[in-house]
């Protein structure tokens, strides 16, 4: 036992001597294996502490004050690096290492290996640039080198991007400094999609415009403001080339939105009997006289066979029946199946519009069907839409007083008071029968009034006729003869829309 104890003690003494033996000197201080291990452990503790401090500041301080995700991540990353650097310097100082010696050593070492680490140094400087200037931030949707994805993290050397397929790609920071980067989320995430559509020659451009705009307003991911547009791009080899332009605020969903729009466009064009053409080529035939003689011989043979078939009395009754015309019932086309262009022409304000003007008008609003008894707008609600009755009738009532106000029919409008005066809805409007309305959003009303000044005049006159509502809103000054209700509303329209 004593021998084993002595051997074990001797072994531990040898190990202690190995661990404490100086390996090299830095200035007047030496470093042994134990000192190096101690420094490494302290450095790991400092890094963990720095990361905990950065995460805590991000969660407890930066998040409550409302900073966006990118700014929070950038600030937290800078704090982590600063705390870690200061901690490492303090550890080295406490270990008795002269930092001036390390500085000289690092300078000499940097000269030696600087040329071999050019890329690493470039990525390091680029990482600092990204963190402080923030051309891209964590959470941004970007495109770099044909790579689309969301920025997940930004470090000193590289940036991690998660693609639309869920793949994480590590991109060197120098790529974001040297190359052109598309940042879809920079300042304003709104972006415009271009959907090309080709239709057969002979298609009505107004009907194509109406169909494409109906599709755009059906898709929920499309923004109402800015409004969707339809451009006539040109005359293709086999088609009339149109382009549907829509705005979205989630650019990372652009591919699913495009797919959904293409499905809807195909369905809508089929419903309206608008043909999507195949590529066409002209075929020129030579020796047409020989071909005509061949077809004449074929026709003579067919006629002889047909006569023999009739002589045998086969299917003669069926042939006679096919010749007799069938009585056709008159087809009544419901107003709901009318095109929006035809419905708008029924309205007095637009009956003189050409097809080109009607096409522009269709871009300002859309058709909406309301069944009998449905409330279109509620009293005291905020008003964002203007309505023109294309067919049917609506009833205007005051829920506050329980009184009937008016009945509006085809060609009349309502909803203008809330838009022009910025006040809540003054009454409730409900359909008396199945009705079709032309709905115009607030941001499109200015362009409509610019296209149809007579409508602006009529709006002023209608507002004056609703004298009681204007008195309740305090718009009438009966003591001023030069400031009639008509002029006040007219001035209000000029102030709002500059027309």
């Amino acid at each position: 036992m004593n021998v084993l104890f002595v051997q074990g003690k001797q072994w531990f003494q040898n190990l202690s001597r190995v661990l404490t033996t100086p390996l090299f000197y830095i200035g007047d201080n030496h470093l042994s294996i134990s000192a190096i291990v101690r420094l490494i452990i302290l450095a790991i503790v400092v890094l963990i502490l720095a990361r905990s401090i950065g995460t805590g500041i991000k969660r407890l301080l930066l998040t409550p004050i409302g900073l966006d995700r990118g700014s929070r991540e950038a600030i937290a990353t800078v704090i982590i690096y600063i705390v870690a650097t200061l901690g490492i310097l303090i550890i080295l100082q406490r270990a008795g290492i002269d930092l001036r010696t390390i500085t000289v050593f690092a300078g000499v070492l940097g000269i030696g290996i600087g040329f071999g680490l050019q890329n690493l140094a470039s990525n390091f400087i680029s990482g600092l640039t990204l963190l402080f200037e923030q051309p891209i931030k964590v959470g941004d949707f970007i495109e770099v080198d044909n790579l689309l994805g969301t920025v997940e993290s930004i470090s000193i050397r590289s940036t991690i991007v998660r693609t639309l397929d869920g793949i994480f790609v590590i991109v060197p920071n120098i790529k974001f400094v040297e190359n052109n980067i598309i940042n879809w989320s920079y300042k304003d995430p709104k972006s415009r999609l271009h959907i090309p559509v080709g239709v057969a020659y002979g298609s009505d451009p107004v009907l194509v415009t109406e169909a494409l705009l109906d599709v755009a307003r059906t898709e929920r991911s499309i923004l109402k403001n800015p409004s969707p547009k339809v451009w006539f791009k040109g005359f293709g080899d086999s088609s009339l080339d149109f382009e549907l332009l829509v705005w979205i605020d989630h650019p990372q969903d652009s591919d699913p939105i495009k797919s959904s729009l293409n499905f809807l466009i195909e369905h809508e064009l089929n419903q309206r009997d608008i043909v999507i053409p195949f590529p066409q080529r002209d075929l020129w035939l030579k020796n047409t006289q020989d071909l005509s003689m061949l077809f004449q011989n074929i026709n003579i043979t067919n006629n002889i066979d047909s006569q023999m078939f009739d002589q045998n009395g086969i299917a003669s009754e069926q042939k006679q029946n096919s010749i007799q015309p069938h009585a056709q019932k008159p087809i009544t086309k419901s107003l709901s199946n009318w095109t929006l262009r035809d419905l708008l022409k029924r309205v007095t304000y637009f009956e003189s519009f050409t097809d080109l003007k009607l096409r522009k008008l269709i871009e300002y609003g859309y058709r909406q069907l309301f069944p009998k008894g449905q409330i279109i707008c509620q009293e005291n609600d905020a008003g964002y839409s203007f309505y023109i009755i294309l067919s049917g009738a609506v009833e205007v009532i005051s829920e506050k007083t329980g009184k009937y106000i008016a009945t509006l029919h085809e060609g009349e409008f309502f909803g203008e008071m809330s838009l022009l005066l910025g006040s809540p809805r003054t009454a409730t409007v409900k359909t008396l029968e199945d009705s079709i309305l032309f709905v115009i959003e607030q941001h499109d009303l200015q362009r409509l009034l610019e296209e149809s000044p007579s409508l602006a005049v009529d709006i002023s006159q209608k507002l004056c006729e609703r004298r009681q509502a204007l008195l309740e809103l305090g718009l009438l000054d009966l003591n001023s003869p030069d400031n009639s209700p008509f002029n006040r509303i007219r001035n209000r329209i000029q102030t709002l829309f500059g027309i």
Side-chain angles (χ1 to χ4, degrees):
M1 280 297 288
N2 292 332
V3 175
L4 293 175
F5 176 77
V6 171
Q7 291 178 348
K9 184 178 179 180
Q10 187 177 3
W11 183 85
F12 278 110
Q13 288 176 351
N14 294 334
L15 178 63
S16 175
R17 193 164 42 249
V18 170
L19 294 177
T20 57
T21 301
L23 295 178
F24 56 87
Y25 289 84
I26 299 179
D28 297 332
N29 299 302
H30 67 274
L31 291 179
S32 61
I33 294 177
S34 61
I36 294 174
V37 171
R38 185 167 57 251
L39 289 177
I40 292 174
I41 293 175
L42 290 175
I44 293 174
V45 172
V46 167
L47 293 177
I48 295 175
L49 181 62
R51 183 172 294 275
S52 300
I53 292 174
T55 304
I57 291 176
K58 177 176 63 176
R59 184 177 67 253
L60 301 177
L61 180 61
L62 301 180
T63 301
I65 65 177
L67 288 179
D68 60 90
R69 181 189 174 191
S71 300
R72 295 197 305 267
E73 294 289 341
I75 295 174
T77 302
V78 171
I79 291 174
I80 291 172
Y81 287 135
I82 291 175
V83 173
T85 302
L86 292 177
I88 296 297
L89 293 177
I90 292 173
I91 290 174
L92 295 176
Q93 188 74 30
R94 295 289 294 178
I97 299 175
D98 190 357
L99 297 180
R100 290 175 298 178
T101 305
I102 293 180
T103 303
V104 174
F105 177 76
V108 174
L109 185 64
I111 294 175
I113 65 176
F115 291 101
L117 299 177
Q118 288 184 4
N119 292 334
L120 182 61
S122 299
N123 289 322
F124 178 81
I125 301 299
S126 301
L128 294 177
T129 302
L130 295 179
L131 288 174
F132 285 99
E133 291 189 1
Q134 293 190 349
I136 63 171
K137 297 181 294 185
V138 174
D140 286 354
F141 185 70
I142 64 170
E143 181 178 353
V144 52
D145 286 343
N146 296 322
L147 178 70
L148 278 169
T150 303
V151 178
E152 291 296 320
S153 65
I154 301 175
S155 63
I156 289 297
R157 189 192 70 82
S158 61
T159 296
I160 297 178
V161 178
R162 179 170 53 86
T163 67
L164 296 176
D165 297 325
I167 301 173
F168 291 88
V169 181
I170 300 174
V171 183
N173 288 331
I174 192 65
K175 293 284 186 179
F176 298 97
V177 177
E178 292 182 344
N179 299 336
N180 293 328
I181 308 299
I182 299 177
N183 188 348
W184 298 94
S185 305
Y186 189 74
K187 291 186 177 180
D188 188 357
K190 289 182 181 177
S191 58
R192 189 164 67 177
L193 299 182
H194 296 247
I195 311 296
V197 180
V199 299
Y201 274 91
S203 301
D204 190 336
V206 179
L207 293 181
V208 175
T209 300
E210 180 182 344
L212 296 181
L213 291 176
D214 283 348
V215 166
R217 294 184 174 107
T218 301
E219 175 58 45
R220 294 182 178 180
S221 302
I222 304 302
L223 299 179
K224 293 184 178 180
N225 186 21
S227 303
K229 296 285 185 186
V230 174
W231 286 354
F232 192 169
K233 297 293 290 184
F235 301 90
D237 293 336
S238 306
S239 63
L240 301 176
D241 296 332
F242 290 84
E243 197 168 71
L244 174 62
L245 288 81
V246 296
W247 290 85
I248 60 175
D249 55 2
H250 291 87
Q252 61 270 24
D253 296 332
S254 59
D255 286 342
I257 293 174
K258 286 181 179 179
S259 175
S260 177
L261 287 174
N262 285 328
F263 276 116
L264 292 172
I265 288 172
E266 192 275 337
H267 174 75
E268 190 68 24
L269 294 182
N270 283 337
Q271 291 292 108
R272 299 173 183 261
D273 294 328
I274 299 174
V275 178
I276 301 175
F278 292 99
Q280 299 177 5
R281 294 291 183 268
D282 291 334
L283 179 64
W284 296 88
L285 299 176
K286 295 183 178 180
N287 302 325
T288 55
Q289 293 181 352
D290 296 339
L291 288 175
S292 62
M293 292 294 296
L294 176 62
F295 283 115
Q296 287 178 4
N297 294 333
I298 293 174
N299 290 333
I300 293 173
T301 304
N302 290 337
N303 289 333
I304 294 173
D305 293 340
S306 176
Q307 291 176 3
M308 293 177 63
F309 185 76
D310 291 340
Q311 288 175 0
N312 293 330
I314 301 175
S316 59
E317 183 177 354
Q318 295 179 359
K319 185 176 180 180
Q320 291 177 1
N321 291 336
S322 64
I323 299 175
Q324 294 178 358
H326 294 281
Q328 297 182 354
K329 297 181 180 179
I331 300 175
T332 57
K333 189 176 183 182
S334 172
L335 286 177
S336 61
N337 295 326
W338 284 34
T339 64
L340 182 54
R341 174 182 57 183
D342 294 335
L343 288 171
L344 288 171
K345 281 188 174 182
R346 292 159 52 91
V347 179
T348 305
Y349 316 113
F350 313 125
E351 61 184 2
S352 61
F353 273 29
T354 63
D355 282 352
L356 292 178
K357 284 189 174 182
L358 286 173
R359 196 199 70 83
K360 290 183 179 180
L361 182 62
I362 290 172
E363 289 187 340
Y364 303 152
Y366 55 94
R367 166 178 47 185
Q368 189 169 356
L369 279 68
F370 292 88
K372 179 181 178 181
Q374 181 174 342
I375 294 178
I376 302 171
C377 53
Q378 190 81 35
E379 186 176 342
N380 294 325
D381 285 350
Y384 303 104
S385 303
F386 173 72
Y387 303 90
I388 299 177
I389 303 174
L390 299 179
S391 69
V394 301
E395 181 183 41
V396 185
I397 57 176
S398 173
E399 294 185 350
K400 182 178 181 181
T401 61
K403 294 182 179 180
Y404 161 84
I405 296 177
T407 299
L408 304 179
H409 299 276
E410 180 181 304
E412 297 186 273
F413 57 82
F414 61 92
E416 75 290 341
M417 190 174 296
S418 294
L419 295 186
L420 297 179
L421 306 180
S423 61
R425 299 289 190 191
T426 57
T428 296
V429 181
K430 182 173 63 174
T431 56
L432 293 176
E433 55 186 86
D434 293 346
S435 303
I436 303 176
L437 304 183
F438 186 58
V439 185
I440 305 158
E441 304 297 338
Q442 185 175 13
H443 53 271
D444 288 321
L445 185 58
Q446 176 181 358
R447 294 183 299 162
L448 173 63
L449 297 180
E450 290 174 350
E451 290 290 332
S452 181
S454 61
L455 180 59
V457 174
D458 201 67
I459 288 177
S460 303
Q461 293 174 345
K462 287 292 183 182
L463 282 173
C464 294
E465 292 174 3
R466 300 163 187 175
R467 184 179 182 85
Q468 186 62 34
L470 294 175
L471 285 171
E472 292 176 359
L473 291 173
L475 294 175
L476 294 181
D477 185 3
L478 301 178
N479 298 325
S480 176
D482 296 332
N483 199 13
S484 66
F486 177 82
N487 291 330
R488 288 179 64 86
I489 300 302
R490 184 71 179 187
N491 293 335
R492 178 68 172 171
I493 293 176
Q494 291 177 348
T495 302
L496 289 175
F497 302 113
I499 60 176

